[in-house]
Structures are given as structure tokens and as C-alpha cells.
């Protein structure tokens, strides 16, 4: 995919985790310069095993244009070549770099959101947990689009007819086994590898979770939203009746897709304390 021409675009390398390569990041901002000091760290989907930051050129460029902020798109290493914790540590390195370079980038370090879709949203949720515990940088908001949160979904046999399209139970098993370095088991998983397994959710950044009712991740996403709210973390849960995994990418002009994008955009604006300008039709 060619580089975007409707935003200021830049490729950078940021210091990687200890003993690991530097992390490539793609930066997007409006051609006239950011209108707001907030920033968005975006983590792409792909089941931990596929996809790239470059695949999200269009989406990240439009976030930058419509919201008037800086978007940092992370090119994290993929499983199975790099299993947990490598991909998560790459994302943390990018978040820490964004905080450390906030002054140079014109960003308010207290107004950085983490976002992603599918496995990228799962990494964003794990990143919010890891950042909270390390205490070096605190995301202001989590925007989680149909996040991949719970490896135990692989072990459940009855999915209520969900997961028939795009991301199936078989795909889910492959993704989690590749990321964890072994098939999921009921007993446990490494800390920070599986966001839904964390017991204490208190103190995490406010969140918005959106998912379709036919998505394999619907039950785990609904449960995580409920647990966040129970822990005192504001979390809006938005479900799209009859929508399957990532359906807005396949049917972008459908009214339900537009509503999904509009709701997520408004949630991000609220989470970052931004004015409500523009609409979702160009996202």
C-alpha cells in the first residue's frame, strides 16, 4: 500500500525492549498540524500472527484527520516467531517512547489513548494493565474494537453459533497457541498475556468496547466490560446486533457499520477530552 498523501506521514524506529530490535512506528498527523495535543497509539489486528501497521494506513490517517491529533501506529513483532511477551513489550516500548517524546511531538503526556482492533485491541487491553502496574506511563483511555481478550474461549465447545464468519474457533486456537507458545489450558496463563484472566481491574484507564453479537469474542468482551464497571472503571459496551467479526471493514457503508464507527469516534473524543467535531462517515 502506498504511503498516505492526505496526512503528514513519517516512519521512525523507537528503542525496543531490552535485548530486542528497535520497534518501527508510523506517525500520522494532519497536514496543517495537530489541532489538539492528544495522541492515539494504535495496535493493528491479525490474531497475533498476521497483519502489519502499513495495512492500517487508511484508518490511522483518517483518525489523524478527523480528530486532529497525532496517531502512532505500531509495527510489533508477530507470533509464532515472536511469542508473548515480545509483541506486548514492543507495544509498551512504543507507548513509553511516545510519553518520553511528548514535548517534541507536541503531545500532552496525560492525554494518550491506546486503541486497536481484534488481537490489537487485546494487546491494547494488556498494555493498559502493564502500564498501570509499571507506573511509568498511564494511558488516558482504551478504545477496544472487538478485542481478543480470553484464551479460554478456545477451550469452550459451544459458541452459540458465533464465530462462523471471518474469525472462527479454529483461527482462534491457532492465534492463541502461537502467541502463548503452547495451546491454552484452563489452569493459567502468563501474567499480562491474557487480559481477561487478570483478577484486579481497579485503576485501569476508562474504556469503550464495541463488538457484534455474531462475533466469537462477544461473550468475553461483554464479560470484560462488566468486570471493568464492577471494578469502578468506566466502560461503555456497545454491541451491534447481527454483526460478525470486523464486519465494518467488509460492509463499510452499512448503517450499522457507520453507527459503530460513529460511536467509537465519539467515545475516543470524550475519553481524550476533545471537542465533538466532524463525523464518522469519512472513517
Amino acid at each position: 500500500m502506498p504511503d498516505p498523501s492526505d496526512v503528514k506521514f513519517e516512519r521512525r524506529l523507537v528503542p525496543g525492549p531490552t535485548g530486542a530490535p528497535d520497534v518501527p512506528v508510523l506517525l500520522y498527523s494532519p497536514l496543517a498540524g495537530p489541532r489538539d495535543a492528544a495522541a492515539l497509539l494504535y495496535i493493528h489486528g491479525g490474531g497475533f500472527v498476521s497483519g502489519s501497521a502499513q495495512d492500517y494506513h487508511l484508518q490511522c490517517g483518517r483518525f489523524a484527520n478527523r480528530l486532529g491529533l497525532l496517531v502512532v501506529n505500531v509495527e510489533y513483532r508477530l507470533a509464532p516467531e515472536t511469542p508473548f511477551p515480545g509483541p506486548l513489550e514492543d507495544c509498551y516500548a512504543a507507548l513509553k517512547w511516545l510519553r518520553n517524546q511528548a514535548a517534541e511531538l507536541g503531545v500532552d503526556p496525560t492525554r494518550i489513548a491506546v486503541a486497536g482492533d481484534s488481537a490489537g485491541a487485546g494487546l491494547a487491553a494488556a498494555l493498559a494493565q502493564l502500564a498501570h502496574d509499571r507506573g511509568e506511563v498511564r494511558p488516558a483511555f482504551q478504545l477496544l474494537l472487538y478485542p481478543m481478550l480470553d484464551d479460554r474461549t478456545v477451550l469452550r465447545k459451544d459458541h452459540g453459533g458465533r464465530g462462523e464468519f471471518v474469525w472462527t474457533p479454529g483461527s482462534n486456537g491457532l492465534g492463541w497457541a502461537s502467541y502463548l507458545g503452547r495451546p491454552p489450558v484452563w489452569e493459567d496463563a502468563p501474567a499480562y498475556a491474557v487480559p481477561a484472566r487478570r483478577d484486579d481491574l481497579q485503576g485501569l484507564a476508562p474504556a469503550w468496547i464495541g463488538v457484534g453479537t455474531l462475533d466469537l469474542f462477544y461473550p468475553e468482551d461483554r464479560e470484560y466490560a462488566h468486570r471493568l464497571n464492577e471494578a469502578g472503571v468506566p466502560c461503555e459496551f456497545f454491541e451491534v446486533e447481527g454483526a460478525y467479526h470486523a464486519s465494518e471493514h467488509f460492509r463499510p457503508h452499512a448503517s450499522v457499520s457507520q453507527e459503530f464507527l460513529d460511536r467509537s469516534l465519539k467515545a475516543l473524543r470524550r475519553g481524550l477530552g476533545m471537542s465533538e467535531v466532524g463525523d464518522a462517515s469519512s472513517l
Side-chain angles (χ1 to χ4, degrees):
M1 181 179 293
D3 291 345
S5 59
D6 57 348
V7 292
K8 181 181 178 183
F9 173 69
E10 184 180 356
R11 301 174 187 268
R12 292 203 190 186
L13 287 175
V14 307
T18 302
D22 289 343
V23 179
V25 295
L26 310 181
L27 276 61
Y28 310 77
S29 60
L31 290 174
R35 300 188 299 274
D36 199 284
L40 177 68
L41 184 83
Y42 198 87
I43 306 172
H44 72 79
F48 302 121
V49 298
S50 66
S52 72
Q54 188 163 303
D55 295 339
Y56 286 73
H57 264 344
L58 186 62
Q59 185 166 329
C60 288
R62 286 175 173 172
F63 269 123
N65 266 334
R66 299 308 303 173
L67 295 171
L69 47 58
L70 173 71
V71 178
V72 178
N73 185 7
V74 187
E75 190 72 271
Y76 59 91
R77 292 169 292 169
L78 298 176
E81 291 78 11
T82 304
F84 174 84
L88 179 59
E89 291 291 353
D90 287 351
C91 295
Y92 184 80
L95 178 63
K96 187 176 177 181
W97 172 83
L98 178 53
R99 191 284 312 269
N100 289 344
Q101 299 300 312
E104 175 208 332
L105 297 169
V107 168
D108 179 347
T110 68
R111 297 175 64 213
I112 298 172
V114 294
D117 62 291
S118 194
L123 284 168
L127 181 60
Q129 296 177 1
L130 183 63
H132 172 273
D133 292 353
R134 288 184 178 174
E136 295 178 305
V137 52
R138 297 288 297 274
F141 191 71
Q142 308 175 63
L143 184 73
L144 309 178
L145 311 181
Y146 36 90
M148 186 173 176
L149 297 171
D150 197 342
D151 65 326
R152 292 166 294 188
T153 296
V154 173
L155 303 172
R156 298 184 175 99
K157 301 304 179 185
D158 183 6
H159 299 293
R162 299 183 181 91
E164 297 295 320
F165 306 102
V166 183
W167 190 254
T168 65
S171 303
N172 205 38
L174 174 63
W176 276 114
S178 299
Y179 184 57
L180 296 174
R182 54 143 175 90
V185 295
W186 284 112
E187 292 75 18
D188 58 22
Y192 305 113
V194 183
R197 287 188 183 256
R198 182 181 174 101
D199 292 328
D200 185 6
L201 301 179
Q202 295 182 69
L204 296 179
W208 184 90
I209 296 176
V211 64
T213 58
L214 295 184
D215 196 312
L216 181 66
F217 298 151
Y218 175 79
E220 67 191 65
D221 291 356
R222 181 181 58 186
E223 175 64 16
Y224 192 68
H226 173 73
R227 290 185 57 222
L228 284 171
N229 281 310
E230 286 290 300
V233 177
C235 178
E236 179 184 353
F237 180 71
F238 180 66
E239 61 182 59
V240 184
E241 185 65 35
Y244 50 89
H245 190 73
S247 60
E248 80 281 5
H249 288 292
F250 299 96
R251 299 288 301 278
H253 301 298
S255 59
V256 291
S257 298
Q258 287 300 308
E259 184 180 9
F260 181 80
L261 294 170
D262 184 60
R263 292 282 191 116
S264 64
L265 188 66
K266 288 179 177 178
L268 184 58
R269 284 189 173 122
R270 290 193 302 270
L272 289 174
M274 305 176 71
S275 60
E276 302 236 349
V277 178
D279 56 71
S281 62
S282 61
L283 277 174

